[in-house]
Amino acid sequence: MELTMRHLLLAVPVLLLPLTSSHAQEEHHHHKHEEASSLSAHEHGSARLNAALDGNRLELELISPAMNLLGFEHAPANAADEAKIASARSQLEQPLALFGLPAAAGCSVSEQQFAGDLLGSAHAGYQRGDEHAHKQEHKHDHDDHEAGGHSDIEAHYQFDCSKPDALQALDLKGLFERFPGMEKIQVQLIGPNGQQGAELTPARAQLPF
């Protein structure tokens, strides 16, 4: 990921848990997804969103139990399960609507990446960095099996925004509406006004930049 998102991921443990001094910097870089996963338990209904706005570039990382997005976490057993996966994948591929980015900001998706074994062929949605993405796919598949059947889905987005001043807030109303299994989202945001965190819900779905 870009340096901005790396800084964001490094900042999150400072807010939520004390850092352990035993980890070297390079080891942290190698295990950043495992460490991020340890910040909170695999809790159905709850998800995490990391956001960073730096100049014209906006980066978002959504980490959610598959249950919130699909309604199940087992391997697809029938056509109905496959249809739910295809529908969720289609929704995740429309981030401008999911995150309430206004048209006035002129944001376009420059990169998007998905990880999670239940998404299957969703990895075709990668726009750049396919080799790295497939390595991550295999790693996450292994992690999900080791986690005793729990399965997470991660979505990473990078946007180029021609008028970032028009980005007044993240609005997750569309995300909550499209995925009703999502009850709360822990948001960590770095923007022009510094770093902030909040728990968003369907009743409070906005966080100003």
Side-chain angles (χ1 to χ4, degrees), residues 9 12 43 55 70 74 83 98 110 135 140 146 156 186 191 207:
L9 294 177
V12 173
E43 180 184 353
L70 305 177
H74 56 261
L98 289 180
S110 57
K135 290 180 181 178
H140 282 282
E146 290 295 319
H156 302 254
Q186 299 291 338
L207 181 63

Side-chain angles (χ1 to χ4, degrees), residues 14-203:
V14 175
L15 295 177
L16 302 181
L17 286 177
L19 283 171
T20 58
S21 59
S22 61
H23 288 118
Q25 178 65 28
E26 60 271 15
E27 182 180 355
H28 174 80
H29 175 72
H30 180 70
H31 295 288
K32 65 181 179 180
H33 286 286
E34 288 88 345
E35 291 175 356
S37 297
S38 70
L39 294 178
S40 62
H42 180 97
E43 180 184 353
H44 295 170
S46 179
R48 286 174 288 136
L49 177 67
N50 300 319
L53 177 61
D54 184 12
N56 292 70
R57 175 170 294 174
L58 172 65
E59 295 187 54
L60 299 176
E61 177 185 55
L62 177 67
I63 306 169
S64 171
M67 179 66 74
N68 299 348
L69 305 177
L70 305 177
F72 60 88
E73 292 189 338
H74 56 261
N78 49 47
D81 286 352
E82 293 284 2
K84 290 179 181 178
I85 292 173
S87 176
R89 183 167 63 239
S90 177
Q91 298 289 356
L92 290 172
E93 291 173 350
Q94 303 177 52
L96 295 178
L98 289 180
F99 301 106
L101 304 182
C107 295
S108 60
V109 180
S110 57
E111 291 187 27
Q112 61 182 16
Q113 300 177 359
F114 307 109
D117 57 334
L118 291 183
L119 286 184
S121 60
H123 298 278
Y126 292 122
Q127 295 185 6
R128 294 207 295 265
D130 287 350
E131 181 180 353
H132 171 73
H134 284 290
K135 290 180 181 178
Q136 288 297 103
E137 172 187 358
H138 293 303
K139 188 179 80 64
H140 282 282
D141 288 350
H142 175 74
D143 291 346
D144 290 337
H145 289 302
E146 290 295 319
H150 293 312
S151 180
D152 287 342
I153 290 175
E154 298 186 15
H156 302 254
Y157 305 95
Q158 181 173 296
F159 306 86
D160 291 330
C161 302
S162 59
K163 297 181 179 179
D165 290 344
L167 292 172
Q168 300 298 316
L170 281 178
D171 187 347
L172 305 187
K173 179 181 178 181
L175 185 62
F176 285 116
E177 288 179 348
R178 287 164 175 79
F179 299 108
M182 199 89 71
E183 299 172 0
K184 58 183 178 180
I185 300 175
Q186 299 291 338
V187 180
Q188 298 293 334
L189 183 150
I190 295 177
N193 295 321
Q195 182 172 326
Q196 57 182 313
E199 180 178 282
L200 299 187
T201 65

